[in-house]
């Protein structure tokens, strides 16, 4: 691989380094589908494991329709709303529990219960209390709050007390203390919390859509294609969900890294 990439432009080098792993797993998928095709008579591949080419065709057909993109945007909007609310509440709870011992005694047990409880239980309970279109956002927020709270709480407690004392000596305002001391110190904790929270919100939100079936939604499409045994379309919707999650996480990491460098400047 080193020999082949010598003299190549950087984008081409990155592509050549990134290709072997996906190519390997696509080959494994192709071989498994071929084995199923040989072992199972009738519609074996359509009902159990379609070929990668079949899934790619189904995905291309879906992507050519406006319904597909409307479904993607609807799910993205619900989950992004839940992610934003969860981040705000998690940050607020972290500040409260670090600033006030009584707030820590009241809030910490409840947040730990939310973190430990099964996601499916919360989905069914929230479905009893609110409309199905709101469940994915509520579930995404609930799953994000413990992640943000835990990471930011540890970050706040790890801030150098000598820097805070120095700020008090020079009579910094609270906004100056936050901007010059807390935010730079919390940078790695914030980056870790938000990237983890984004992936968790996406997975839990889509899982809530599968159980609650809001319209339109990625989770609803996954459920209905399974129900009607449209397996290539099921794989296609799943691939779209995974790909969208990876793209959003990559964009979020890049944006947060640039934002974080601004604090350190």
């Amino acid at each position: 691989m080193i020999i082949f990439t010598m003299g190549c432009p950087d984008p081409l080098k990155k592509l050549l380094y990134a290709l072997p792993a996906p190519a390997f797993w696509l080959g494994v998928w192709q071989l498994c589908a071929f084995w199923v095709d040989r072992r199972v008579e009738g519609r074996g591949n359509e009902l159990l494991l379609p070929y990668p080419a079949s899934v790619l065709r189904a995905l291309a057909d879906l992507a050519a329709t406006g319904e597909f993109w409307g479904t993607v945007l609807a799910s993205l909007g619900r989950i992004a709303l839940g992610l934003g609310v969860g981040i705000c509440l998690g940050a607020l709870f972290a500040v409260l529990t670090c600033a006030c011992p009584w707030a820590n005694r009241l809030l910490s047990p409840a947040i730990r219960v939310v973190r430990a409880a099964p996601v499916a239980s919360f989905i069914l309970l929230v479905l009893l209390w609110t409309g199905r279109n709101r469940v994915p956002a509520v579930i995404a927020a609930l799953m994000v709050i413990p992640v943000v709270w835990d990471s930011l709480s540890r970050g706040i407690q790890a801030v150098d007390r000598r820097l805070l004392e120095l700020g008090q000596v020079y009579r910094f305002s609270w906004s100056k203390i936050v901007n010059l001391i807390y935010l730079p110190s919390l940078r790695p904790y914030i980056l870790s919390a938000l990237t983890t929270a984004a992936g968790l919100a996406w997975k839990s939100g889509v899982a809530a859509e599968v159980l609650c079936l809001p319209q339109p939604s990625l989770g609803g499409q996954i459920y209905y294609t399974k129900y009607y045994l449209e397996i290539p379309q099921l794989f296609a919707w799943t691939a779209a969900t995974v790909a969208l999650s990876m793209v959003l996480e990559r964009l979020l990491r890049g944006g947060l890294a640039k934002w974080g460098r601004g604090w350190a400047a």
Side-chain angles (χ1 to χ4, degrees):
M1 181 62 70
I2 295 175
I3 296 175
F4 289 123
T5 56
M6 290 180 62
C8 296
D10 286 341
L12 184 57
K13 284 183 181 180
K14 292 180 180 179
L15 180 63
L16 290 174
Y17 276 117
L19 276 178
F24 170 79
W25 289 112
L26 280 174
V28 171
W29 181 1
Q30 178 75 17
L31 289 175
C32 291
F34 179 77
W35 181 82
V36 171
D37 195 14
R38 292 291 182 181
R39 298 281 295 182
V40 181
E41 297 180 357
R43 300 176 60 203
N45 277 100
E46 294 181 25
L47 295 178
L48 295 176
L49 185 62
Y51 284 106
S54 300
V55 175
L56 184 60
R57 282 195 300 270
L59 183 58
D61 292 340
L62 289 173
T65 64
E67 181 184 358
F68 173 82
W69 296 107
T71 300
V72 168
L73 291 176
S75 290
L76 182 60
R78 293 188 194 99
I79 295 170
L81 175 62
L83 175 63
V85 172
I87 289 171
C88 293
L89 290 178
L92 176 62
F93 293 160
V95 172
L96 289 176
T97 53
C98 289
C100 178
W102 281 104
N104 184 45
R105 292 181 185 179
L106 288 174
L107 295 174
S108 295
I111 296 174
R112 290 191 174 94
V113 167
V114 171
R115 181 169 54 188
V119 179
S121 299
F122 276 118
I123 293 172
L124 297 176
L125 287 173
V126 174
L127 182 59
L128 295 175
W129 301 331
T130 186
R132 64 175 62 195
N133 288 330
R134 297 174 183 168
V135 173
V138 174
I139 294 300
L142 283 175
M143 296 301 106
V144 165
I145 287 172
V147 174
V148 176
W149 168 78
D150 181 64
S151 184
L152 292 189
S153 295
R154 288 186 287 107
I156 292 171
Q157 294 168 1
V159 172
D160 193 340
R161 299 301 167 189
R162 291 173 295 181
L163 292 177
L164 295 176
E165 292 173 0
L166 185 64
Q168 291 176 353
V169 168
Y170 285 96
R171 297 184 178 180
F172 285 178
S173 64
W174 269 109
S175 61
K176 210 168 185 180
I177 290 175
V178 170
N179 288 325
L180 297 181
I181 299 176
Y182 275 106
L183 286 181
S185 300
L186 290 174
R187 177 192 171 195
Y189 298 93
I190 293 174
L191 298 183
S192 174
L194 295 189
T195 51
T196 303
L200 187 59
W202 185 255
K203 289 188 289 187
S204 60
V206 173
E209 289 180 343
V210 172
L211 289 179
C212 300
L213 304 178
Q215 294 299 323
S217 66
L218 288 169
Q221 293 295 337
I222 290 172
Y223 174 83
Y224 287 122
T225 52
K226 184 273 299 181
Y227 185 81
Y228 293 109
L229 298 179
E230 298 172 344
I231 306 305
Q233 286 78 10
L234 170 61
F235 273 72
W237 281 108
T238 304
T241 303
V242 173
L244 187 59
S245 175
M246 295 173 65
V247 168
L248 291 176
E249 185 175 346
R250 189 70 177 267
L251 292 174
L252 182 62
R253 283 181 181 274
L256 289 174
K258 291 180 180 179
W259 188 30
R261 284 196 292 270
W263 296 338

